Amino acid sequence: MKRYAVFVAGGQGVRMGADRPKQFLEIDGKPILRHTIERFLAFDPKVDVILVLPEAQKGWWRDYCRQNSFLDRYTMVSGGITRFHSVRNALQYVKEDGVVAIHDGVRPLLSGSLLQRLYEAAETYPAVIPGLPVVESVRRVDGEESVPVSRDGLVLVQTPQLFDVRLLKEAYRQPFSPAFTDDASVFEAAGGKVHIVPGDRINLKITTPDDMDYAAALLSISSFAPVVPEP
């Protein structure tokens, strides 16, 4: 089965307070985006990598890969005005049937065990996403007032999200809606059904400086480091 991995990396690092986009911030001498891609390649070195970046950032990444002998086989695509448009741009370069994974470029703590669960489920279901039960108390806030909300049945959705290529491309032919919060919501709006598998607590999306510290601590553990085959 043909496998594609689309990495969406359009962040600007505003909440990070950084001087560069957060996907290019370094942990242990490597950009976050490289860590993210390496974890996928450690699981499947033959996966077709499609990277979505803002047009203004593509030159930086191209130079980085050339200067550091990284990722000699990949497709780079310009991002759109929303995540929906960015993913739709990327899907134009998914040429064969199979499975396509859509992943946040700033989730560098992706585990092989999570990928294994997702790909095994993708053999049965056309859309598979990782989710975590909500374990903390939840409240809905309206101004100065707040009310408790039952967490029963609630899950936190992560990436990567895996889909049958043909069905996802069909889903992305529909017009954009602000209700599309992720690829699963696009798929469901087109009539598809989504299957949830257990996610990983460590599969963090880096947003704040504290997230950077957490990711750096985990990535410094030798047993957690991915083994990426030589190209």
Side-chain angles (χ1 to χ4, degrees):
M1 182 185 299
K2 183 71 171 177
R3 291 176 176 177
Y4 297 88
V6 174
F7 298 89
V8 184
Q12 298 298 323
V14 175
R15 279 176 287 182
M16 191 71 70
D19 60 354
R20 73 183 84 172
K22 61 183 177 181
Q23 57 266 24
F24 298 152
L25 296 176
E26 292 191 354
I27 297 175
D28 193 27
K30 296 179 183 179
I32 293 172
L33 181 56
R34 176 171 178 171
H35 283 289
T36 304
I37 295 172
E38 281 185 338
R39 300 204 72 82
F40 224 106
L41 292 176
F43 177 79
D44 182 3
K46 295 182 180 179
V47 69
D48 276 22
V49 172
I50 301 174
L51 176 60
V52 186
L53 283 171
E55 184 66 33
Q57 298 175 14
K58 291 166 68 176
W60 188 98
W61 181 255
R62 190 179 295 112
D63 291 344
Y64 174 85
C65 288
R66 183 174 59 251
Q67 294 166 10
N68 293 275
S69 301
F70 176 64
L71 205 63
D72 62 340
R73 183 180 60 85
Y74 69 102
T75 301
M76 188 158 52
V77 182
S78 295
I81 58 175
T82 69
R83 180 189 173 90
F84 172 90
H85 296 92
S86 293
V87 173
R88 188 165 65 181
N89 289 350
L91 290 176
Q92 297 178 45
Y93 297 86
V94 177
K95 301 298 185 181
E96 300 179 34
D97 289 345
V99 174
V100 56
I102 316 294
H103 191 45
D104 297 319
V106 289
R107 286 188 189 264
L109 303 177
L110 179 64
S111 69
S113 59
L114 175 57
L115 283 170
Q116 187 68 37
R117 291 197 296 273
L118 290 166
Y119 275 107
E120 287 178 353
E123 294 176 2
T124 303
Y125 302 97
V128 183
I129 65 174
L132 291 172
V134 175
V135 297
E136 298 180 355
S137 295
V138 178
R139 299 184 72 87
R140 178 181 291 110
V141 178
D142 183 8
E144 295 297 320
E145 304 295 325
S146 69
V147 295
V149 177
S150 173
R151 66 189 179 209
D152 292 344
L154 295 181
V155 297
L156 302 174
V157 175
Q158 301 177 320
T159 69
Q161 300 182 356
L162 274 60
F163 303 89
D164 174 272
V165 165
R166 182 179 57 82
L167 295 179
L168 187 64
K169 292 178 80 168
E170 287 179 3
Y172 266 91
R173 293 190 180 102
Q174 64 188 309
F176 168 74
S177 166
F180 295 154
T181 57
D182 61 1
D183 306 286
S185 60
V186 177
F187 191 80
E188 288 174 316
K193 300 295 184 182
V194 172
H195 178 73
I196 299 176
V197 303
D200 276 349
R201 294 285 171 194
I202 63 171
N203 185 24
L204 175 73
K205 183 177 182 180
I206 293 182
T207 306
T208 68
D210 286 345
D211 296 336
M212 286 282 289
D213 293 339
Y214 178 74
L218 276 178
L219 290 169
S220 68
I221 301 172
S222 59
S223 61
F224 190 71
V227 178
V228 182
E230 294 294 328

